[in-house]
Amino acid sequence: MLVMVGIREYNATMIRNLDTALIRTFVTVADTASMTAAANALHLTQGAVSQQIKRLEEVLGCSLFERDRRGLKLTRSGERLFGKGKRLLSLNDEIWAEMAISAVAGEVRLGVPYDLVGTMLAPVLKTYAEAYPKVEISLVCASSPELAAALAAGTIDLAVIEEPVGPSAGECLAIDRLVWVGAKGGIARRKRPLPVSMVADTCAFRPAVLAALNEHRLEWRTVFENGNLDATTATVRSDLAVTTWLASTVPSDLDILSADPELPALPNFSINLHLPKHGAGPAAREFAVCIRDGLARRQQAA
């Protein structure tokens, strides 16, 4: 009789396992405040995301989201689950990475925009190289449109791409402000036509910047546009021109010109992770995990 009771008690505890897939969907919806955005990030239909959230609410016996004018908002129960859910996913991904380390070898080709290499992704590259010493990392730096084309052509294995906020085939890792940048105390911002320096004519920001300038009816001229971030930085430091960067990537010795009323407002941009449609190999999949975790930690520390 005692043995039978023990078995029943053991079986009762076994059914209290959380499905990490449901938790990942919940965290993604909470991060994006949108079922549609979460569906794009997870490569699921909106209906599938809604069903997974409903299933998780049924399992936990509580409502996790409520709607307000700005979109989805966490309930108190959702807020309690959010932090613990992120830690659970982080531990899950860490376990997978550690257990799969012996199987991860070969080469991985990562595409990154020029402005993110030395800022957001430098710590990620170091962490991945230390965790997977058998993997040879090839870093490809180019503009976001060029990286998207390279991923489609199969010449890189995964890419971090800057795109206007909105529907995307990639997974949204962060959203940042696109800002005007100039030399500290500089006068280039007041010159007309406005001297503008961009890294390349394929720069992801270029269409948005030109649209803002034209809508504002502000005359402008190109000072530099030749695919070299260092040269663009030099022209701005020398007060020969202004440029546009994501706010989190602006060097400390330059000024964000957000208080200048003569410069047009610029849209926010997403930093999205793209994997190939035909599927990624083990090295690329683990790199994707490392990038997600690295940018999540960066956002938490900000």
Side-chain angles (χ1 to χ4, degrees):
M1 180 64 70
L2 290 175
V3 172
M4 293 300 294
V5 170
I7 290 174
R8 283 198 296 271
E9 291 175 350
Y10 175 74
N11 287 338
T13 62
M14 288 293 288
I15 63 172
R16 297 183 181 181
N17 293 327
L18 287 170
D19 186 336
T20 54
L22 300 183
I23 298 295
R24 195 177 298 278
T25 298
F26 161 74
V27 168
T28 306
V29 173
D31 275 334
T32 60
S34 165
M35 293 281 186
T36 303
N40 289 332
L42 295 167
H43 303 290
L44 298 172
T45 65
Q46 185 174 339
V49 170
S50 298
Q51 286 297 318
Q52 289 189 11
I53 295 299
K54 182 179 179 182
R55 183 179 166 195
L56 183 60
E57 289 177 331
E58 289 173 351
V59 168
L60 298 177
C62 61
S63 177
L64 299 173
F65 293 99
E66 58 188 9
R67 286 194 174 274
D68 62 14
R69 285 175 295 180
R70 291 175 295 180
L72 291 176
K73 177 183 176 183
L74 287 170
T75 62
R76 288 188 178 181
S77 297
E79 289 174 351
R80 289 200 302 272
L81 177 62
F82 183 62
K84 291 183 174 67
K86 277 203 162 185
R87 293 201 298 274
L88 176 62
L89 292 178
S90 179
L91 181 59
N92 174 83
D93 294 343
E94 182 182 331
I95 290 170
W96 272 108
E98 289 181 358
M99 299 304 294
I101 189 168
S102 59
V104 179
E107 181 185 11
V108 62
R109 300 162 298 178
L110 171 66
V112 188
Y114 300 102
D115 56 322
L116 298 184
V117 174
T119 53
M120 291 186 177
L121 290 176
V124 171
L125 295 171
K126 183 175 185 294
T127 299
Y128 183 84
E130 291 175 348
Y132 300 101
K134 294 182 180 179
V135 175
E136 294 181 7
I137 301 171
S138 294
L139 195 61
V140 178
C141 292
S143 68
S144 288
E146 290 171 326
L147 293 174
L151 187 66
T155 57
I156 56 177
D157 301 305
L158 72 166
V160 177
I161 292 177
E162 296 159 329
E163 300 174 285
V165 173
S168 169
E171 173 188 346
C172 180
L173 301 175
I175 294 176
D176 203 353
R177 295 181 299 135
L178 184 63
V179 295
W180 292 102
V181 179
K184 286 187 179 294
I187 61 170
R189 70 188 78 177
R190 295 197 292 272
K191 293 180 179 178
R192 297 296 179 270
L194 181 71
V196 180
S197 180
M198 296 186 198
V199 176
D201 59 0
T202 56
C203 174
F205 307 146
R206 194 176 194 274
V209 172
L210 298 190
L213 289 169
N214 292 333
E215 185 176 345
H216 205 65
R217 296 182 179 178
L218 187 61
E219 288 187 83
W220 63 278
R221 65 182 178 88
T222 299
V223 173
F224 177 82
E225 204 171 74
N226 199 32
N228 189 307
L229 181 62
D230 290 338
T232 292
T233 305
T235 62
V236 176
R237 284 198 176 110
S238 303
D239 200 25
L240 297 177
V242 297
T243 191
T244 57
W245 278 324
L246 296 180
S248 61
T249 67
V250 177
S252 59
D253 63 329
L254 297 177
D255 268 350
I256 294 177
L257 309 178
S258 55
D260 193 327
E262 294 191 21
L263 295 177
L266 298 171
N268 291 342
F269 267 69
S270 294
I271 299 171
N272 296 333
L273 175 63
H274 285 253
L275 296 171
K277 291 182 179 180
H278 55 75
R285 289 198 301 270
E286 296 307 326
F287 217 150
V289 171
C290 194
I291 291 169
R292 287 189 197 102
D293 290 348
L295 265 66
R297 284 193 295 270
R298 178 185 173 91
Q299 287 183 292
Q300 290 171 359

